[in-house]
Amino acid sequence: MNRREALQRVAMLIGGSVIGANLFLEGCTRPASKDVATLFEKEKTDFLGDLAEAILPKTSTPGAKEAGVGEFIPVMIRDCYEEADQKAFLEGLADVDNRAKKEFSKSFKELSKEEQLQFVNKYDKEAAEYQKNKKEDEPNNFFHMLKQLTLTGFFTSEVGMTQAQRYVKIPGRFDGNFPYKKGDKAFAF
C-alpha cells in the first residue's frame, strides 16, 4: 500500500479530508521552525499523548498514548502542515491548560478521565462549528487538527492496525460476501 491509499483510507475512517494531505502525499519535506521544534520535547510529547488519549482512550484495545500518537503528532505538524496551521496548532496547544483552569480550576493533566472527556467534547463541538464556518484563508482549528492527527496516528500505528482492527499480514482474494458477525473489528488495509 502506498501513502496515497493509506491517506484515503484514514480519511474515510474520520469522514473527510485530512489537513496537510498534499504535503503528506508529496513526502512531507517542510523545514521546522524554532517554535515547532519545541513540540519534540519530552514534556510536550507526553502532553500531546495525554490529549490524544482523552480523544481515543484505552478500552478493550490500547489507547492513543500506547500507540505513540504523542510522538507522531510533532512530526506531522513539522513536516506536513502549512505555517498558518502550525501557528494555530501551537497557539491552541498553549491554551489547553488555560481553558482547563478556567473551566475546571485545574490543569488538563489534573482532570479526571470524565472531566477530560467533557473537555474534549466541548472542544470538538467548537472545532466542528469553526471548520464549518471558516473562510478559505483562515487556519484550521487546533482541536480539529489534533483529532485528525490522533486518529491518523492511531490507525496507522502497529497497535491500531493489529489490535484495534483485524489485521491480515498477507490478505487473500477479495470476497465481497465474507460473513460478518455483529461486533467484529474492521479489517486493516
Side-chain angles (χ1 to χ4, degrees), residues 38-157:
T38 64
L39 290 176
F40 290 89
E41 296 169 0
K42 175 89 171 108
E43 182 180 310
K44 292 278 177 82
T45 59
D46 286 346
F47 188 60
L48 287 167
D50 291 338
L51 283 168
E53 187 74 17
I55 295 169
L56 199 60
K58 181 177 183 170
T59 57
S60 61
T61 60
K65 194 165 188 174
E66 194 172 331
V69 173
E71 291 82 19
F72 171 82
I73 291 172
V75 174
M76 296 299 290
I77 294 294
R78 176 194 66 199
D79 293 348
C80 301
Y81 279 37
E82 299 286 336
E83 190 175 326
D85 286 333
Q86 289 178 348
K87 184 178 178 198
F89 188 87
L90 291 168
E91 288 171 358
L93 184 63
D95 195 43
V96 169
D97 271 340
N98 293 334
R99 285 189 61 164
K101 287 175 183 173
K102 185 178 176 183
E103 293 177 32
F104 296 96
S105 301
K106 300 184 236 181
S107 70
F108 180 80
K109 284 191 173 208
E110 295 172 329
L111 298 178
S112 69
K113 297 296 180 196
E114 294 79 24
E115 290 170 330
Q116 287 182 352
L117 182 60
Q118 288 175 347
F119 186 74
V120 296
N121 283 340
K122 184 174 181 181
Y123 245 130
D124 194 29
K125 287 177 186 171
E126 291 173 11
E129 187 65 29
Y130 176 87
Q131 289 298 123
K132 187 171 84 172
N133 297 318
K134 98 176 184 65
K135 294 177 179 64
E136 190 174 320
D137 61 334
E138 293 178 326
N140 288 291
N141 178 276
F142 156 73
F143 190 80
H144 183 73
M145 292 184 278
L146 177 68
K147 186 175 176 182
Q148 280 191 343
L149 289 171
T150 297
L151 294 172
T152 302
F154 180 79
F155 286 108
T156 58
S157 71

